[in-house]
Amino acid sequence: MTTTPSGDQIVRTFIDFFRERGHELITGGTLLPPSSDPVLFTTSGMHPLTPHLEGRPHPQGRRLVNVQRCLRTSDLDEVGDRTHLTVFEMLGSWSLGDYDHSQSLRWGYELLRDGFGVPSERLYVTVFGGDDEVGPDRESLRTWRELGLPVEPTRDENWWSHGPVGLCGPDSEIFVWTGGPGTPPQGTPTTDPRWVEVWNHVSMRHRRLGDGGLQPLRQPNVDTGMGLERLVTVLQGHDSVYDSDLFEPWTRILPPLWDLDGRSRRLVCDHLRSAIVVIGDGVRPTNTGRGYVLRRLIRRALTTLWRDDPSRTLSDLPEEVLRHTLDHFRQSRGTGLVREVLLDEERRFGRLLERGRRVLGRPEFEGPLSDEDYHYLHDTHGLPRDLVTTLRTP
Ligand code: SER
């Protein structure tokens, strides 16, 4: 690619590259994992493929590629900075017991260099250097050296696992230098944050058991994942994911609508966009589980909006951002319904705040509150602790 590629072009280039190498495109689906899965939301591209990585044949074969929407709440407090997002998309490729890890790394390099035009001088990779349990990943080290890329071995950073038990294995991460045109690459991925990780290639060949032991999988797999928004940001040469064209209607429409500082604007943008996608996948605000995540997203956005101006309302959100977001995530739900859910939650939250202010204005709640007060406010008036704290913050 010679000119700056658009987000859509980048997705197409990725998918075409793997299709040309025998991969079938699987439909990157909903954020909601199957009911047998204990987690609330899909958190990575490999997640829906877990049974197939464990050995069940996939109906579309052993080489797969997709774009999967994901949601991570672990980073919620970091949202508002330039890189963290709640809902994002992951480009992924898989070998289910087919080609080996080394082949995946070679293709990874080829796609970044020839497909996306990243010069090899701007690339650095890390590999698993071994620990007390598993030896160093010599195969990856050898492959990268043959390809002529600088390699940094690490320990924990290059051991991928899904959780305390389950699929895991050594990974190799590819970093791109983002120091800007006049600044030649310096340091290594672990010493200079301007090396940004774009692609993770996991050699998924173990399972961590409940007793802490490691068991080899029936088939060694390769699982790769690349966060789309971050990749697009790096390839388009921006500092912030919000400056990439993927956020175009949001970043054009929000500033004239609501006058917010940069951090607040990013938070409102992330949370509302994420809320739309979650609603688009059929979730409604509730006090538990997925619905609670959605409720928090909407309420955190409203808290930010109402801090300076309580008359702001989500009914001012133009149709265009709703339409664009649902279309981008290939969701068929109508914008009218999504707007209704947002506004209904806005009304509920508005009423709750009103009640909260009334109750907290009583003389017995002046001064510091005890745990007992918090329990009372929650159980009798439905006012959660964080809301009480927000209402009492001058
Ligand atoms: N499993 C790896 C990740 O989540 C690659 O898909 O990053």
Side-chain angles (χ1 to χ4, degrees):
M1 287 184 181
T2 45
T3 52
T4 307
S6 70
D8 289 345
Q9 272 172 314
I10 289 168
V11 172
R12 259 199 314 277
T13 303
F14 181 86
I15 291 174
D16 289 349
F17 180 89
F18 282 99
R19 291 184 79 162
E20 282 157 17
R21 288 157 185 79
H23 295 63
E24 286 293 319
L25 177 64
I26 52 174
T27 337
T30 160
L31 283 172
L32 314 190
S35 53
S36 55
D37 200 317
V39 304
L40 292 179
F41 291 102
T42 297
T43 55
S44 70
M46 55 72 60
H47 189 174
L49 291 172
T50 306
H52 307 289
L53 291 160
E54 293 198 330
R56 191 200 300 166
H58 191 282
Q60 285 178 265
R62 305 200 321 162
R63 295 184 181 197
L64 306 172
V65 58
N66 93 342
V67 188
Q68 170 69 45
R69 53 180 172 272
C70 304
L71 185 149
R72 289 187 186 174
T73 50
S74 50
D75 299 333
L76 215 51
D77 289 326
E78 293 183 77
V79 166
D81 69 7
R82 295 170 167 270
T83 53
H84 286 88
L85 295 170
T86 308
V87 165
F88 62 98
E89 288 182 283
M90 203 182 262
L91 304 171
S93 64
W94 292 273
S95 157
L96 301 176
D98 191 31
Y99 58 83
D100 63 13
H101 196 223
S102 168
Q103 176 65 78
S104 180
L105 302 180
R106 288 174 191 280
W107 279 337
Y109 179 42
E110 187 184 337
L111 175 58
L112 285 171
R113 189 195 50 193
D114 304 341
F116 295 139
V118 183
S120 49
E121 303 78 60
R122 282 182 66 201
L123 295 173
Y124 215 122
V125 298
T126 59
V127 300
F128 181 65
D131 60 16
D132 308 337
E133 228 179 346
V134 179
D137 182 1
R138 291 208 173 80
E139 183 199 343
S140 300
L141 191 63
R142 196 172 46 242
T143 306
W144 288 126
R145 290 214 167 121
E146 277 167 24
L147 293 170
L149 290 188
V151 189
E152 181 176 34
T154 82
R155 244 172 96 116
D156 301 342
E157 287 94 336
N158 284 95
W159 182 265
W160 191 87
S161 62
H162 198 26
V165 295
L167 297 170
C168 56
D171 67 20
S172 190
E173 301 182 352
I174 308 179
F175 291 74
V176 177
W177 176 253
T178 61
T183 317
Q186 296 155 34
T188 69
T190 63
T191 61
D192 196 315
R194 287 171 294 181
W195 287 107
V196 171
E197 187 221 323
V198 292
W199 203 351
N200 191 7
H201 290 236
V202 185
S203 171
M204 207 169 265
R205 49 189 153 98
H206 302 282
R207 181 187 291 112
R208 175 77 62 193
L209 304 173
D211 65 7
L214 266 192
Q215 188 185 50
L217 292 179
R218 244 185 297 162
Q219 60 183 36
N221 307 289
V222 184
D223 151 47
T224 86
M226 177 145 70
L228 173 66
E229 290 81 356
R230 191 189 295 182
L231 174 73
V232 172
T233 305
V234 167
L235 294 180
Q236 293 181 350
H238 301 300
D239 286 337
S240 159
V241 286
Y242 297 95
D243 293 335
S244 75
D245 68 329
L246 295 171
F247 285 86
E248 188 281 317
W250 285 93
T251 42
R252 175 169 45 83
I253 283 168
L254 286 197
L257 188 60
W258 297 316
D259 182 21
L260 297 163
D261 64 79
R263 190 175 179 88
S264 304
R265 187 181 308 137
R266 291 192 288 266
L267 184 141
V268 166
C269 175
D270 169 83
H271 282 19
L272 292 182
R273 173 178 176 265
S274 300
I276 292 169
V277 183
V278 174
I279 298 168
D281 273 343
V283 179
R284 299 291 171 265
T286 54
N287 282 334
T288 54
R290 291 182 187 124
Y292 184 61
V293 173
L294 173 59
R295 172 157 280 167
R296 275 192 76 198
L297 287 170
I298 302 173
R299 291 186 177 189
R300 277 168 57 105
L302 286 168
T303 304
T304 307
L305 286 175
W306 288 345
R307 210 168 29 217
D308 311 329
D309 181 357
S311 71
R312 287 175 178 154
T313 163
L314 300 182
S315 48
D316 290 338
L317 261 189
E319 175 76 8
E320 187 184 349
V321 289
L322 297 171
R323 181 74 280 145
H324 178 275
T325 304
L326 292 168
D327 284 352
H328 177 81
F329 286 90
R330 305 168 296 282
Q331 295 177 301
S332 55
R333 242 162 266 263
T335 53
L337 182 119
V338 174
R339 186 184 292 280
E340 222 173 87
V341 175
L342 289 172
L343 293 183
D344 186 49
E345 185 59 17
E346 176 178 302
R347 277 190 292 272
R348 277 170 200 272
F349 188 45
R351 284 199 297 267
L352 185 66
L353 288 179
E354 217 172 280
R355 190 163 70 236
R357 279 196 200 95
R358 241 185 359 250
V359 174
L360 289 173
R362 292 188 202 153
E364 67 257 42
F365 298 118
E366 271 172 28
L369 298 182
S370 64
D371 275 345
E372 209 182 316
D373 292 328
Y374 280 113
H375 282 305
Y376 167 80
L377 289 166
H378 184 262
D379 297 345
T380 313
H381 296 284
L383 300 170
R385 197 179 183 113
D386 55 349
L387 184 74
V388 172
T389 315
T390 311
L391 285 173
R392 285 165 55 92
T393 311

